[in-house]
Amino acid sequence: MKTRVSINGYGNIGKRVAEAVKKQKDMELVGASKMNPDYHSHDAIKRGISLYAISNPDLFTEKNIDIAGSVEEMIKESDVVIDCAPSGVGLMNSSLYAKHPNVKIIYQGGEAANTAPISFNAQANYDDALGRKSVRVVSCNTTALSRIIKTLDDAFGVQKARVAIVRRAADPNDASKFTLNAITPTTVFPSHHAVDLNTVLPHIKITTMSCVAPTTLMHVHMFFTTLRNPPKDVSDVFRVFGKNKRLLIVSAKHGLYSTGQIKDLAYENGRQFGDLYETGVWKEVIGIDSDGELGMSLAIDQQAVTIPETIDAIRAVTESADKETSMELTNSSLGIGQMDLKTAVQSVKQRN
């Protein structure tokens, strides 16, 4: 029997989760909910997604948008609800979910860690989420760090990590908040990313700092780590990373010297919404200094990187697959690990 999944909040993340769920052979999308009728509502209908009203259904009727019912009716038809509401609203929704004790809830990383019993990253702590009533998928930046650090920790042992994070100012469609001509540091030390990382990898010693830059195209990390058993050469790091499909090695030699080119690569590979589910790692920037510290630069698609983990979380809370099976099913369905870098090489040749 397929797991029935619904999306509470159909926006930038909600639409991506909905499309990912539709690609899973072991899942069925019940529908998605909206607070207000807007272009996302019309988009859901065009994509064949049943739409449910969170509050006033008359608002949708007035704009000729057909709705399938109320958000409570949607939840009743579901085994799992993915809460994709704006940050902070998920906690407010918890009283609604409490009325449905047999329904599992998956929150997004914009919610506080105490919104659910545990935070979740598929690679880091999948088994801890098995059968849970609710979990919280960690944020986009933390998801990327979890993949990198868990991979390095398993192979070499991570003694300490230090990360400088350059965050995008807003998503491409968000005109309400944007730093136009300034770089704004996060005025707290460490930034919340270190605290968030320790919710899924509590044994890791990590310090993070961050700032907001005037861009909408992805986050960038400058990542440094001291390893307990350092590799003799960076080729050992490439070999380890190459086994993880959720890490993508990109090269400036292929024209991928900025987040703009990386997003373009995703579009050229036919990725829906131009999404990069993988954590990008620049080949030219990985290095080991004279003290044995490993450094690298990472690229993170803030709207896409948590989508695979959200799909894995569905299988974890329903206990419908083990970690390895779930991650492989998710990877295969979303084309993760199948990015054709030849398109980037061809683009460089055409420009030259």
Side-chain angles (χ1 to χ4, degrees):
M1 182 179 294
K2 292 185 177 182
T3 301
R4 299 169 299 169
V5 181
S6 62
I7 316 297
N8 192 12
Y10 189 83
N12 281 340
I13 301 299
K15 71 179 182 181
R16 287 170 164 83
V17 175
E19 291 301 313
V21 168
K22 288 163 63 176
K23 291 180 171 69
Q24 309 308 308
K25 294 181 180 179
D26 57 343
M27 300 178 193
E28 173 187 348
L29 183 64
V30 174
S33 66
K34 283 287 294 176
M35 176 68 74
N36 297 304
D38 60 10
Y39 70 96
H40 283 306
S41 304
H42 290 285
D43 176 70
I45 298 298
K46 289 179 181 178
R47 294 179 183 277
I49 298 172
S50 297
L51 201 61
Y52 293 80
I54 293 177
S55 56
N56 189 350
D58 293 337
L59 294 176
F60 294 84
T61 303
E62 291 171 0
K63 295 194 175 182
N64 298 315
I65 299 174
D66 294 328
I67 59 171
S70 67
V71 66
E72 289 223 23
E73 291 173 312
M74 180 185 77
I75 295 173
K76 288 178 182 178
E77 296 296 321
S78 307
D79 299 310
V80 178
V81 174
I82 313 298
D83 188 289
C84 295
S87 298
V89 178
L91 179 60
M92 297 169 60
N93 289 337
S94 60
S95 58
L96 170 64
Y97 302 141
K99 300 176 183 178
H100 306 273
N102 295 323
V103 178
K104 309 283 188 175
I105 311 299
I106 298 173
Y107 297 97
Q108 296 299 301
E111 300 303 320
N114 62 4
T115 303
I118 68 163
S119 294
F120 177 86
N121 173 266
Q123 192 174 338
N125 66 338
Y126 185 97
D127 289 351
D128 291 343
L130 291 172
R132 295 278 189 166
K133 162 66 176 174
S134 65
V135 301
R136 165 187 167 268
V137 176
V138 292
S139 72
C140 48
N141 283 305
T142 307
T143 293
L145 289 174
S146 297
R147 292 174 181 173
I148 291 289
I149 291 175
K150 176 62 174 170
T151 301
L152 291 172
D153 194 41
D154 287 346
F156 308 110
V158 172
Q159 183 172 328
K160 181 180 180 180
R162 300 179 296 121
V163 194
I165 299 172
V166 181
R167 301 170 56 200
R168 62 89 181 97
D171 289 332
N173 71 333
D174 188 355
S176 64
K177 53 177 182 179
F178 192 75
T179 301
L180 181 61
N181 189 30
I183 295 177
T184 308
T186 301
T187 53
V188 62
F189 180 85
S191 65
H192 70 274
H193 309 93
V195 178
D196 202 23
L197 187 282
N198 284 144
T199 65
V200 292
L201 291 171
H203 68 287
I204 296 295
K205 187 176 182 181
I206 182 171
T207 300
T208 58
M209 298 177 68
S210 69
C211 68
V212 174
T215 179
T216 64
L217 296 179
M218 309 176 71
H219 306 302
V220 170
H221 293 184
M222 278 69 75
F223 176 88
F224 304 89
T225 182
T226 302
L227 302 172
R228 299 184 188 281
N229 301 294
K232 296 180 180 179
D233 188 79
V234 292
S235 61
D236 296 327
V237 179
F238 286 128
R239 187 161 46 252
V240 169
F241 280 3
K243 297 177 182 178
N244 189 339
K245 292 183 178 180
R246 296 191 183 180
L247 303 179
L248 178 68
I249 304 296
V250 298
S251 174
K253 292 181 179 179
H254 293 163
L256 302 170
Y257 48 83
S258 77
T259 55
Q261 281 79 32
I262 294 175
K263 284 291 287 183
D264 195 42
L265 175 69
Y267 277 112
E268 291 185 359
N269 273 264
R271 288 285 182 87
Q272 196 165 26
F273 309 118
D275 283 345
L276 187 76
Y277 303 115
E278 301 90 342
T279 300
V281 184
W282 267 289
K283 182 178 181 179
E284 292 80 6
V285 189
I286 296 182
I288 303 173
D289 68 14
S290 58
D291 294 324
E293 186 175 48
L294 174 68
M296 65 190 74
S297 286
L298 314 175
I300 298 94
D301 188 336
Q302 76 275 4
Q303 298 180 110
V305 73
T306 63
I307 304 304
E309 265 65 25
T310 301
I311 297 301
D312 291 329
I314 295 171
R315 295 194 181 98
V317 298
T318 57
E319 298 182 275
S320 57
D322 60 31
K323 172 183 173 180
E324 288 73 20
T325 300
S326 178
M327 291 185 69
E328 184 52 41
L329 287 171
T330 302
N331 291 346
S332 177
S333 65
L334 298 181
I336 296 172
Q338 302 171 27
M339 187 75 77
D340 182 9
L341 295 179
K342 292 180 182 178
T343 57
V345 177
Q346 291 168 355
S347 296
V348 171
K349 290 181 178 179
Q350 289 171 1
R351 286 197 296 270
N352 294 337

